[in-house]
C-alpha cells in the first residue's frame, strides 16, 4: 500500500520510547504519606480518612467536574493531596486561579474524553473504529484549545501572573498536533467515513468502483426498462441480492433474460431477481473493488491505531494534566457553591519543610479559623448540588487581595444558621487541646470539622469559613472517632480504641494532627484517666497538635501544670438545657448529665441520689465555686449579648431615620426641578395663547379691510391696535413678578429675531439672526458686528421691560423667518439700543405706490413719503414686479436714506412690496 507522502512521511521514524510518567501528586487515599512511610502508616492514614468521611467530600466535589476522568477520580476519592506544603500551596493557587476564570468564561472541558480504553485497544494491536479515532482527535483538539484559551485570558488580564498556576500545568505538554492532523486528514468525523485522500490506493480503488457502479447501474436500468416494456414487470425494478446488483422480473417472463442467473425469488415465487449475463462481470468487478476498498480502509485504520499506540505515554501524560485542570476548576466551583475562602498555612509549623509562600500574621495563633461550617452538614442548608452547579457563572463575587488569595463575598441567600459555625483559636506553642462538655453538645462534630479543614487545605480546597482561615500544614491527619469494636478481631470497644491510638503513636511525627474522641473511655475511670494523661503527655512531645474530647475533669486540669495544654468547652444553655454547639476556648465544660436526665423526665428520687453521690466524689466547695463561676460567666455573657443586640437595634433605627431624611432631601431637589419645568411650560402656554389671540385679531382686521372705505379705515385701525394692546397687557407679568436670571436662562430658548442680553458683550442687547442649532452656539448681531456665542452666555430680557410694540415687531419678524425671508442690510443708530416701532399694519397712510412711474418720479415720491412718515413708523413701498428697475432704485434710496434704519425685502406673503423702518 502506497500512502500519501505529505501525511505519513513520518511513519517510518523510529518509535519514540515510552515515557515513564510519574504523577506529581498521589491520587489514592492510601498513598498520601511520604514515600518513606511503611504500609502501616498508609493503612492508618486510610482508616483516618474514612473516619473523617473524606469519601463524602470527594463525592460532593464530583458534581462540579466536567470530564469523565474528573468524575471518576472524585467518586473514587482519588483527589490530589499535597505531599509537601509546597504541593498543597500549588493546589490552592490553582483553585484560586480557576475561581478568577469561572465568572468570565465557561471552558469546554466536556469535549475531553477518557482515552484509557481506546489506548488499551491500540496497544494490543487491534483496529480502532472511526468513532474511536474521532474521539481521540476531539480530545487532542479540545486540550490544545483549552491551553490557548487560558493563555488568552491571561494576556487580557491586568494581573496575568494570577493565571500562571493553571498555565504551568499545561505549559510543557505535548498536544500531539501531528497525530491530530493525521486523523483529521484521513477521517471525516462529521460523516464517520475515511476520506479518499487518506491513501493513493484508496483514491484509485474508489474512483474505479464509482465508474464501475455507474456502468452497472446504467446497464441494469436499460435492461429493467426493456423488461417493463415487454410486460415482464409492473415497473422497472433494480435491487441487490447476495451482494450483487440484479433486476426484478416475473417468473413467467424469465425467457426475456436468456442465460441470466436467478439470485433469489419473492416469497410467492411470482417474481425472480435475476442477474443478466452481461452484468456478471460488472458485479464481479464490484465485489473485487469492494473487498479491496475494505482492505485498504483496514490498513489505514491499522496505521492510525499504530500511531496512537506509539503515542500512549504522551497521551496519558496529557490526560493527567487535563485531569489536574479539571479538578482545579471543580475545586473552584465547589468553593463558590459553599462560599469558601482560601486558607493560609501558618509559618511556625513549616520548619524543615520545602519552601512555600505563607502569610505571617500579627496574632499569636497557630490555628485561627472563624465561622467554619462542616461541609457535609452545610449541604442540607443549601440548594441541591445539581441545581447549584450553575453558580460557576458567578452567584458569588470574588476579590483577590495583595497576597493573591481569593476572598469570597457571600451573595447566596440559601445559607441558614445550620450548621452552627465553629471557631478554632489555638495559640502558638499549644500541643494538646482538651474539649469537655455535655453529650450531644457537638464535641465530635467540631473535632471532625477541624480534621476536614486540615485535609481540605492539603488537597487545595477552599474552606466554608469567614475571613482567611489560618492553620498549619500536617503531614498526617490521624483520627479515632466512634466505636471500633470488632468481633472478628476479638476486640472490645476499649481494645479497639487503644489499638488505634497505639498505631497513631507509632506513625505520628512533629507535623502530625491527632484527633481522639472520648480518650480513655470504656474502662475503669481511674485507670482511664491515668492512661489518658500519660498518652496526652506523650503526644505533647511528639506531635504538632492533638485534640481530644473527654468527660474526665482531671484531664482538663493538666493545663495548670503544662502551658502546652489548652482547654475548650462546648457551650450549654442552663435556661433551655440544650447545647448551643459553640466552642468556648479556654473554658472547662461540665457534662451536665444530671440536668439532661432531669430534663428528659428521669425520676426525681434518682436524680437526688445521684446528686449526693456527686457531692461525695468531688470536693464540695471546689465544685460549688466552679459551678458558680461558670454560671456567672454565662450570665455576664448573656448580659453583654443583650446590650449588643440593643445597640444594634438602636443603630438600625438611627440609620433608618437618616435614610428617610436623606430621601426627603433628594426629593426636594427633584420637586424643585419639576416645579421649574411646570412654570416654564405655563409661560410657554401663555405665549402660545397670546400669539393665537393676536393672529385672530390680524385675520379679522384683514377680512374687514376688504369691504371698508377710507372713512371707516381709521376706526378699524384704532380698534385693532387697542385689541392688540389689551392682549399684550393681559399677558404681561405684574411689576412685582420677578424671575431670576438663572431661571430665565434654564427655561429660555432664543428664537430668530429675539432681543437678548449677551454676557460676553457686557450685558449689551443684541438680536438673534440665526435659528439655534444643535451645536450649543447662537449667531447674534450687535450693531454691525455678528458674533457666535454660547447659549449659556445669553440672558433673556424680562417681559416687563418690553413694550407692546417690541413684542409685536418680534412676532412679525418670527413670522417672516418661518416664511423663508432674508433680512436686508441693517442700519443702526449711534446708540446701542434698538428703536421701538408701532404694530406693523398696512394702511393708506403708511403706503406709497410707485407702480407705473418713471424712475425719477418714483424717486421723488419715495423721498417725500419717507420725510412725511412719523418717527419710528413703518412704510410699505409698493414697486411691483415689472423689469425691476423701479425696485432697484427704491432699494438704493432706502439703503442710503438717513431716516431708514433697515428694510425688509419682498417675501412670498408680500410680493412687489418692501417694508422700510423709519426712525
Amino acid at each position: 500500500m502506497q500512502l500519501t507522502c505529505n501525511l505519513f512521511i513520518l511513519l517510518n521514524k523510529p518509535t519514540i520510547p515510552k515515557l515513564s510518567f510519574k504523577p506529581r501528586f498521589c491520587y489514592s487515599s492510601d498513598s498520601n504519606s511520604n514515600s518513606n512511610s511503611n504500609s502501616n502508616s498508609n493503612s492508618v492514614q486510610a482508616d483516618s480518612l474514612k473516619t473523617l468521611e473524606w469519601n463524602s467530600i470527594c463525592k460532593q466535589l464530583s458534581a462540579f467536574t466536567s470530564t469523565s476522568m474528573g468524575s471518576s477520580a472524585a467518586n473514587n476519592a482519588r483527589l490530589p493531596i499535597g505531599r509537601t506544603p509546597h504541593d498543597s500551596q500549588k493546589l490552592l493557587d490553582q483553585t484560586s486561579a480557576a475561581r478568577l476564570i469561572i465568572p468570565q468564561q465557561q471552558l469546554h472541558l466536556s469535549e475531553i474524553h477518557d482515552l484509557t480504553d481506546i489506548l488499551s485497544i491500540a496497544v494490543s494491536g487491534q483496529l480502532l473504529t472511526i468513532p474511536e479515532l474521532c474521539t481521540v482527535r476531539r480530545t487532542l483538539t479540545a486540550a490544545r484549545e483549552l491551553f490557548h484559551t487560558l493563555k488568552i485570558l491571561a494576556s487580557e488580564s491586568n494581573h496575568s501572573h494570577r493565571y500562571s498556576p493553571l498555565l504551568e500545568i499545561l505549559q510543557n505538554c505535548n498536544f500531539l498536533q501531528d497525530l491530530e492532523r493525521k486523523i483529521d486528514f484521513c477521517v471525516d468525523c462529521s460523516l464517520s467515513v475515511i476520506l479518499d485522500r487518506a491513501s493513493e490506493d484508496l483514491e484509485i480503488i474508489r474512483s474505479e468502483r464509482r465508474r464501475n457502479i455507474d456502468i452497472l447501474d446504467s446497464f441494469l436500468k436499460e435492461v429493467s426498462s426493456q423488461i417493463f416494456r415487454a410486460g415482464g414487470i409492473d415497473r422497472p425494478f433494480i435491487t441487490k441480492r447476495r451482494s450483487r446488483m440484479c433486476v426484478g422480473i416475473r417468473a413467467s417472463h424469465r425467457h426475456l433474460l436468456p442465460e441470466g442467473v436467478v439470485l433469489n425469488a419473492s416469497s410467492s415465487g411470482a417474481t425472480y431477481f435475476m442477474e443478466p449475463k452481461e452484468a456478471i462481470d460488472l458485479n464481479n468487478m464490484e465485489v473485487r473493488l469492494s473487498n479491496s476498498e475494505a482492505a485498504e480502509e483496514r490498513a489505514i485504520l491499522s496505521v492510525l491505531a499504530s500511531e496512537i499506540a506509539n503515542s500512549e505515554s504522551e497521551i496519558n501524560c496529557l490526560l493527567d494534566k487535563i485531569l489536574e485542570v479539571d479538578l482545579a476548576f471543580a475545586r473552584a466551583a465547589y468553593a463558590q457553591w459553599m462560599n469558601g475562602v482560601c486558607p493560609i498555612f501558618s509559618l511556625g509549623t513549616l520548619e524543615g519543610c520545602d519552601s512555600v509562600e505563607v502569610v505571617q500574621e500579627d496574632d499569636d495563633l497557630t490555628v485561627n479559623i472563624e465561622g467554619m461550617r462542616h461541609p457535609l452538614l452545610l449541604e442540607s442548608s443549601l440548594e441541591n448540588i445539581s441545581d447549584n452547579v450553575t453558580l460557576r457563572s458567578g452567584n458569588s463575587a470574588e476579590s483577590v487581595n495583595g497576597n493573591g488569595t481569593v476572598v469570597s463575598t457571600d451573595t447566596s441567600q440559601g445559607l441558614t444558621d445550620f450548621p452552627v459555625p465553629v471557631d478554632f483559636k489555638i495559640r502558638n506553642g499549644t500541643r494538646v487541646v482538651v474539649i469537655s462538655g455535655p453529650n450531644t453538645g457537638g464535641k465530635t462534630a467540631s473535632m471532625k470539622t477541624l480534621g476536614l479543614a486540615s485535609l481540605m487545605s492539603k488537597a487545595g480546597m477552599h474552606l466554608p469559613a469567614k475571613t482567611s482561615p489560618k492553620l498549619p500544614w500536617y503531614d498526617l491527619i490521624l483520627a479515632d472517632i466512634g466505636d471500633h469494636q470488632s468481633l472478628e478481631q476479638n476486640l472490645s470497644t476499649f481494645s479497639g480504641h487503644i489499638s488505634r491510638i497505639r498505631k497513631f503513636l507509632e506513625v505520628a511525627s512533629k507535623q502530625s494532627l491527632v484527633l481522639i474522641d472520648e480518650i480513655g473511655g470504656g474502662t475503669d475511670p481511674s485507670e482511664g484517666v491515668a492512661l489518658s494523661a500519660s498518652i496526652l503527655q506523650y503526644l505533647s512531645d511528639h506531635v504538632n497538635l492533638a485534640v481530644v474530647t473527654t468527660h474526665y475533669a482531671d484531664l482538663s486540669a493538666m493545663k495548670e501544670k503544662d502551658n502546652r495544654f489548652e482547654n475548650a468547652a462546648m457551650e450549654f444553655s442552663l435556661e433551655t438545657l440544650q447545647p448551643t454547639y459553640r466552642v468556648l476556648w479556654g473554658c472547662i465544660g461540665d457534662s451536665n448529665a444530671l440536668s439532661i436526665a432531669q430534663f428528659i423526665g428521669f425520676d426525681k428520687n434518682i436524680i437526688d441520689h445521684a446528686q449526693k453521690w456527686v457531692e461525695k466524689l468531688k470536693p464540695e466547695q471546689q465544685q460549688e465555686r466552679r459551678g458558680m463561676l461558670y454560671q456567672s460567666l454565662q450570665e455576664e455573657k448573656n448580659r453583654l449579648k443583650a446590650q449588643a443586640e440593643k445597640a444594634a437595634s438602636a443603630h438600625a433605627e438611627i440609620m433608618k431615620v437618616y435614610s428617610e431624611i436623606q430621601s426627603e432631601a433628594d426629593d426636594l431637589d427633584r420637586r424643585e426641578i419639576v416645579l421649574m419645568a411646570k412654570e416654564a411650560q405655563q409661560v410657554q402656554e401663555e405665549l402660545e395663547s397670546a400669539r393665537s389671540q393676536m393672529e385672530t385679531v390680524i385675520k379679522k382686521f384683514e377680512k374687514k379691510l376688504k369691504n371698508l372705505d377710507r372713512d371707516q379705515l381709521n376706526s378699524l385701525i384704532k380698534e385693532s391696535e387697542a385689541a392688540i394692546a389689551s392682549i399684550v397687557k393681559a399677558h404681561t407679568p405684574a411689576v412685582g413678578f420677578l424671575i431670576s436670571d438663572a431661571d430665565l436662562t434654564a427655561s429660555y430658548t432664543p428664537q430668530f429675531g429675539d432681543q437678548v442680553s449677551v454676557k460676553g458683550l457686557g450685558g449689551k442687547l443684541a438680536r438673534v439672526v440665526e435659528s439655534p442649532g444643535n451645536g450649543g452656539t447662537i449667531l447674534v448681531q450687535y450693531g454691525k458686528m455678528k458674533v457666535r456665542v454660547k447659549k449659556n452666555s445669553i440672558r433673556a430680557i424680562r417681559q416687563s421691560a418690553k413694550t407692546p410694540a417690541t413684542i409685536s415687531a418680534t412676532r412679525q419678524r418670527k413670522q417672516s423667518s418661518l416664511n423663508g425671508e432674508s433680512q436686508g442690510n441693517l442700519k443702526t443708530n449711534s446708540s446701542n439700543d434698538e428703536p421701538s416701532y408701532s404694530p406693523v399694519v398696512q394702511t393708506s397712510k403708511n403706503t406709497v405706490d410707485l407702480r407705473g412711474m418713471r424712475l425719477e418720479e418714483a424717486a421723488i415720491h419715495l423721498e417725500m413719503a419717507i420725510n412725511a412718515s412719523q418717527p419710528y413708523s413703518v412704510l410699505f413701498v409698493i414697486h411691483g414686479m415689472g423689469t425691476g428697475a423701479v425696485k432697484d432704485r427704491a432699494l438704493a434710496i432706502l439703503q442710503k436714506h438717513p431716516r431708514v434704519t433697515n428694510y425688509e425685502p419682498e417675501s412670498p406673503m408680500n410680493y412687489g412690496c418692501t417694508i422700510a423702518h423709519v426712525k
Side-chain angles (χ1 to χ4, degrees), residues 108-179:
H108 300 288
L109 289 168
S110 58
E111 290 293 323
I112 298 175
H113 301 275
D114 186 358
L115 303 181
T116 304
D117 295 337
I118 296 177
L119 289 175
S120 299
I121 295 173
V123 170
S124 67
Q126 302 180 50
L127 293 181
L128 295 178
T129 63
I130 293 178
E132 289 171 340
L133 291 173
C134 292
T135 299
V136 174
R137 187 189 67 82
R138 281 195 301 269
T139 299
L140 296 178
T141 302
R144 177 172 48 81
E145 290 178 350
L146 170 63
F147 184 50
H148 179 67
T149 303
L150 291 176
K151 289 196 294 185
I152 292 176
L153 290 174
S155 63
E156 293 176 350
S157 173
N158 295 329
H159 306 280
S160 58
H161 65 278
R162 295 175 182 166
Y163 297 86
S164 58
L166 290 176
L167 291 174
E168 289 174 358
I169 299 175
L170 301 173
Q171 190 68 51
N172 298 319
C173 285
N174 182 3
F175 293 98
L176 300 168
Q177 290 182 263
D178 288 340
L179 177 60

Side-chain angles (χ1 to χ4, degrees), residues 176-379:
L176 300 168
Q177 290 182 263
D178 288 340
L179 177 60
E180 177 189 345
R181 283 193 292 266
K182 289 175 183 178
I183 297 175
D184 186 61
F185 186 87
C186 294
V187 179
D188 185 346
C189 290
S190 60
L191 301 177
S192 294
V193 296
I194 297 177
L195 297 173
D196 293 351
R197 65 188 182 190
S199 74
E200 293 180 359
D201 289 349
L202 180 63
E203 186 174 9
I204 294 172
I205 292 171
R206 286 182 174 176
S207 176
E208 286 293 325
R209 186 180 179 190
R210 283 191 292 269
R211 187 179 64 83
N212 184 72
I213 288 178
D214 290 340
I215 296 173
L216 178 60
D217 185 66
S218 176
F219 172 73
L220 292 179
K221 284 181 179 179
E222 178 63 27
V223 171
S224 183
S225 298
Q226 293 176 0
I227 294 173
F228 169 70
R229 287 192 294 270
I233 197 71
D234 294 336
R235 59 182 177 83
F237 182 66
I238 300 174
T239 185
K240 179 179 283 189
R241 292 292 187 272
R242 291 161 58 182
S243 301
R244 302 177 73 85
M245 299 298 296
C246 56
V247 296
I249 186 171
R250 290 192 178 97
S252 58
H253 290 69
R254 176 181 175 182
H255 62 276
L256 295 177
L257 295 177
E259 299 184 20
V261 178
V262 177
L263 298 178
N264 205 344
S266 64
S267 57
S268 62
T271 303
Y272 285 171
F273 302 103
M274 297 185 66
E275 180 183 15
K277 177 182 178 182
E278 295 80 358
I280 293 176
D281 291 338
L282 294 174
N283 269 322
N284 290 338
M285 178 64 71
E286 166 62 17
V287 172
R288 287 194 297 272
L289 291 175
S290 177
N291 293 335
S292 298
E293 180 182 5
E296 186 66 18
E297 289 179 349
R298 285 194 298 272
I300 294 172
L301 294 177
S302 176
V303 171
L304 293 176
S306 176
E307 283 286 292
I308 294 174
N310 292 335
S311 304
E312 178 193 10
S313 59
E314 290 89 345
I315 295 175
N316 281 328
C317 180
L318 178 61
L319 292 180
D320 284 336
K321 299 297 184 180
I322 295 297
L323 177 59
E324 281 191 53
V325 175
D326 184 25
L327 292 179
F329 279 99
R331 292 194 301 269
Y334 182 55
Q336 264 187 258
W337 169 72
M338 62 182 179
N339 282 313
V341 291
C342 184
I344 302 171
F345 292 124
S346 54
L347 182 60
T349 61
L350 300 179
E351 298 177 357
C353 300
D354 295 348
S355 60
V356 59
E357 294 183 4
V358 293
V359 178
Q360 295 188 15
E361 299 289 334
D362 295 332
D363 56 42
D364 61 346
L365 299 177
T366 185
V367 177
N368 187 5
I369 305 176
E370 183 179 352
M372 176 72 184
R373 297 172 184 261
H374 195 295
L376 297 181
L377 299 178
L378 184 65
E379 180 178 356

Side-chain angles (χ1 to χ4, degrees), residues 428-639:
N428 288 325
T430 299
R431 292 291 176 260
V432 177
V433 176
V434 179
I435 303 178
S436 56
N439 291 315
T440 70
K443 298 190 301 296
T444 302
S446 299
M447 193 164 52
K448 277 190 173 182
T449 302
L450 177 60
L452 282 177
S454 304
L455 191 56
M456 292 171 68
S457 300
K458 286 187 64 176
M461 296 185 189
H462 292 183
L463 305 181
K466 299 178 182 177
T467 64
S468 295
K470 184 180 74 167
L471 71 168
W473 183 89
Y474 302 108
D475 61 347
L476 291 176
I477 301 170
L478 308 172
D480 175 43
I481 300 173
D483 187 2
H484 299 282
Q485 184 181 32
S486 175
L487 297 180
E488 294 179 356
Q489 300 179 14
N490 194 26
L491 292 176
S492 66
T493 300
F494 178 75
S495 299
H497 174 63
I498 292 301
S499 296
R500 290 174 61 86
I501 295 178
R502 179 185 60 80
K503 294 177 181 179
F504 291 174
L505 301 182
E506 291 176 354
V507 301
S509 71
K510 283 286 189 177
Q511 295 177 352
S512 300
L513 170 65
V514 177
L515 307 172
I516 303 176
D517 187 27
E518 300 292 352
I519 185 171
T523 187
D524 179 79
S526 59
E527 294 183 357
V529 169
L531 181 60
S532 299
S534 180
I535 292 173
L536 295 183
Q537 194 66 47
Y538 179 88
L539 290 174
S540 66
D541 296 328
H542 293 84
V543 300
N544 184 293
L545 179 65
V547 180
V548 301
T549 66
T550 184
H551 289 286
Y552 297 147
D554 292 333
L555 297 183
S556 299
M558 296 181 70
K559 177 184 178 182
E560 301 174 2
K561 300 178 181 179
D562 193 339
N563 58 7
R564 294 178 301 172
F565 284 72
E566 181 61 87
N567 292 326
M570 301 307 300
E571 186 181 42
F572 187 82
S573 175
L574 296 177
E575 297 177 358
T576 62
L577 296 179
Q578 292 291 326
T580 62
Y581 304 106
R582 289 183 172 86
V583 181
L584 303 177
W585 293 93
C587 298
I588 300 175
D590 291 331
S591 295
N592 293 294
L594 300 184
S595 300
I596 295 174
Q598 184 177 1
F599 177 75
I600 64 177
F602 252 77
D603 185 270
K604 188 177 183 303
N605 293 327
I606 297 177
I607 300 297
D608 292 341
H609 283 294
Q611 186 64 44
K612 293 177 181 180
W613 276 103
V614 170
E615 294 173 357
K616 293 179 180 180
L617 294 174
K618 293 184 179 180
E620 181 179 357
Q621 294 180 353
Q622 180 182 357
Q623 177 66 13
E624 185 177 355
R625 281 199 308 270
R626 183 181 298 175
M628 291 177 62
L629 177 61
Y630 179 77
Q631 186 172 359
S632 64
L633 289 175
Q634 286 291 97
E635 292 175 355
E636 181 67 14
K637 178 184 175 181
N638 294 336
R639 185 180 65 81

